[in-house]
């Protein structure tokens, strides 16, 4: 538990520092505004204290829950009613996007046919603050009947949910941030954080990488940021190439046809050994130029990039080297070429 102790110490220090620098009143504000700020500060600190208590309460039950979720052949079914249901949806979504197949099943719908969505190779994570939510009864009974692992997440260790679960993750009895002590606030925050802890721990156990993450997030800024150069490169017939002994008349034709402002030069083994840009052609422009060979004006050792590099890395390389193209190579052979316009269109900037 040394890691948990260290985490608690770091969070406590951070909260203490924040409390010293951030007051609950604002100079020049009205009494009403200061009251609102004091309320907001109280809520955040109440929930922060609860998260510290939750971190300190983690034990072997959390590890057993991880073992169950990692060991199943099927998916993680997350369920809950009311506010717990909203949290359950988020937990399922987080797990699914971080390498643990999961989805949400509404307990009410489960009682009317959706129990068929839960297979014997799955595991169920059920959320209930009280642990006595009657809508969960059919799902709990179903898991017990067919031997489906059940992980309960509740505030009451003596509840029906906790007693029937294979593993009961009991959150600390911290006060709700609501002054009436009725609206689920602190309790839902702890459940959400505990779900995140399960998802991230599973992610780390599986060695889930940024590249894996992108597979589940192809859209939006996140997906664009994790694009690899192989996703946007010109390849095959669109790749401008010539041989060392190609006449420059053919080189110029290739450069014009492919419209990337350059041509890669390869040796007899197919390895990339040089590059000819439109600037090279202009600098060597003479009446005899078209009869020359490609190797007479090429620049050796062209700038290249590895296939698995992200497009943001390609953009940085182009900016640093003040160039507009990079050949994508593997074992010295050109697989494709990336132009700065391709990178910008993909949203790397």
């Amino acid at each position: 538990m040394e890691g948990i102790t260290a985490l608690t110490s770091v969070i406590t220090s951070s909260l203490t520092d924040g409390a010293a620098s951030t007051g609950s009143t604002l100079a020049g504000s009205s009494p009403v505004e200061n009251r609102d700020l004091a309320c907001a500060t109280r809520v955040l600190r109440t929930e922060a204290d609860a998260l510290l208590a939750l971190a300190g309460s983690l034990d072997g039950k959390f590890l057993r829950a991880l073992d169950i979720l990692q060991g199943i052949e099927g998916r993680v079914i997350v369920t809950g009613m009311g506010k717990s249901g909203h949290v359950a949806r988020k937990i399922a979504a987080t797990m699914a996007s971080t390498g643990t197949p999961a989805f949400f099943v509404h307990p009410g719908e489960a009682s009317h046919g959706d129990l068929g969505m839960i297979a014997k190779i799955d595991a169920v994570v059920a959320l209930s603050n009280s642990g006595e939510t009657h809508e969960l009864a059919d799902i709990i009974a179903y898991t017990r009947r067919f031997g489906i692992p059940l992980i309960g997440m509740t505030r009451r260790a003596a509840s029906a949910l906790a007693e029937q679960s294979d593993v009961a993750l009991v959150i600390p009895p911290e006060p709700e941030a609501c002054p009436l002590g009725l609206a689920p606030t602190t309790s839902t925050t702890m459940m959400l954080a505990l779900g995140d802890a399960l998802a991230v721990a599973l992610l780390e156990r599986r060695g889930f990488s940024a590249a894996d993450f992108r597979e589940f997030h192809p859209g939006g800024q996140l997906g664009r940021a994790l694009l690899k150069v192989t996703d946007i490169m010109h390849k095959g017939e669109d790749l401008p190439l010539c041989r060392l002994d190609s006449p420059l008349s053919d080189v110029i034709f290739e450069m014009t046809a492919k419209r990337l402002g350059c041509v890669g030069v390869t040796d007899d083994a197919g390895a990339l050994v040089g590059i000819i840009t439109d600037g090279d052609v202009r600098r060597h422009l003479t009446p005899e130029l078209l009869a020359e060979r490609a190797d007479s004006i090429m620049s050796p050792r062209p700038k290249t990039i590895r296939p698995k590099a992200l497009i943001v890395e390609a953009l940085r390389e182009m900016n640093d080297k003040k160039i507009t193209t990079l050949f994508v190579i593997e074992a010295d052979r050109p697989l494709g070429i990336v132009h700065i316009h391709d990178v910008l269109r993909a949203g790397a900037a």
Side-chain angles (χ1 to χ4, degrees):
M1 304 301 287
E2 292 180 1
I4 295 174
T5 303
L7 173 64
T8 302
S9 177
V10 169
I11 297 176
T12 303
S13 175
S14 176
L15 286 173
T16 302
D17 293 344
S21 60
T22 304
S24 58
T25 61
L26 189 65
S29 298
S30 68
V32 172
E33 291 171 329
N34 283 331
R35 184 188 64 197
D36 292 340
L37 289 174
C39 173
T41 302
R42 183 187 70 248
V43 169
L44 295 177
R45 289 180 178 166
T46 298
E47 297 196 0
D49 289 341
L51 291 179
L52 287 174
L54 176 61
S57 71
L58 297 181
D59 55 18
K61 291 181 180 179
F62 182 83
L63 300 178
R64 290 201 295 277
L66 286 179
D67 291 338
I68 290 173
L69 297 180
Q70 185 182 21
I72 59 173
E73 297 179 17
R75 297 156 298 182
V76 178
I77 312 302
V78 194
T79 187
M81 196 72 188
K83 302 298 186 296
S84 295
H86 295 309
V87 174
R89 287 181 186 273
K90 167 58 171 60
I91 293 173
T94 299
M95 286 185 172
S97 70
T98 53
T100 301
F103 65 87
F104 173 80
V105 170
H106 191 284
E109 298 296 337
S111 298
H112 295 274
D114 282 1
L115 281 174
M117 301 171 70
I118 307 174
K120 294 180 180 180
I121 58 174
D122 296 334
V124 172
V125 177
L127 281 65
S128 171
N129 187 36
S130 68
E132 302 291 344
T133 306
H134 71 271
E135 289 91 347
L136 289 175
D138 289 335
I139 289 184
I140 293 173
Y142 187 80
T143 64
R144 304 303 82 190
R145 177 183 177 189
F146 292 104
I148 299 170
L150 174 63
I151 298 170
M153 194 182 296
T154 179
R155 186 183 285 210
R156 296 181 58 235
S159 64
L161 174 60
E163 291 173 354
Q164 292 299 321
S165 296
D166 296 291
V167 177
L169 300 177
V170 180
I171 63 175
E174 297 296 309
E176 299 287 6
C178 165
L180 302 176
L182 299 175
T185 47
T186 305
S187 57
T188 50
T189 296
M190 286 192 288
M191 284 186 174
L192 184 60
L194 189 54
D196 286 343
L198 288 170
V200 174
L202 288 168
L203 176 155
E204 292 190 2
R205 278 193 176 193
R206 293 190 169 100
F208 195 77
S209 67
D212 297 323
F213 197 76
R214 184 196 166 267
E215 295 299 322
F216 301 122
H217 299 78
Q221 185 61 37
L222 179 60
R224 290 192 294 272
L226 294 176
L227 281 173
K228 295 188 287 289
V229 291
T230 49
D231 295 321
I232 65 169
M233 70 181 185
H234 301 267
K235 58 187 177 181
E237 292 298 318
D238 295 326
L239 181 58
L241 293 174
C242 70
R243 297 170 60 86
L244 283 165
D245 59 356
S246 297
L248 283 172
S249 57
D250 291 350
V251 172
I252 294 173
F253 181 82
E254 177 80 351
M255 188 182 299
T256 304
K258 302 302 170 61
R259 302 177 66 179
L260 290 171
C262 68
V263 174
V265 184
T266 59
D267 62 15
D268 292 340
L272 184 70
V273 295
I275 184 174
I276 300 174
T277 67
D278 50 6
D280 293 326
V281 174
R282 288 194 299 272
R283 283 188 290 273
H284 293 83
L285 194 58
T286 64
E288 297 79 22
L289 178 65
L290 296 182
E292 297 288 339
R293 291 168 33 128
D295 56 0
S296 67
I297 69 166
M298 76 173 192
S299 299
R301 298 180 297 279
K303 300 298 184 293
T304 62
I305 195 165
R306 69 189 193 285
K308 292 184 179 180
L310 299 178
I311 62 172
V312 289
E313 183 179 340
L315 180 61
R316 185 183 67 247
E317 184 76 6
M318 291 180 191
N319 286 333
D320 290 346
K321 299 293 192 301
K322 295 180 171 55
I323 57 178
T324 59
T325 55
L326 283 170
F327 279 95
V328 182
I329 67 166
E330 188 170 56
D332 294 330
R333 294 175 177 270
L335 302 179
I337 185 172
V338 178
H339 193 279
I340 193 168
H341 291 166
D342 303 320
V343 175
L344 294 176
R345 277 194 295 267

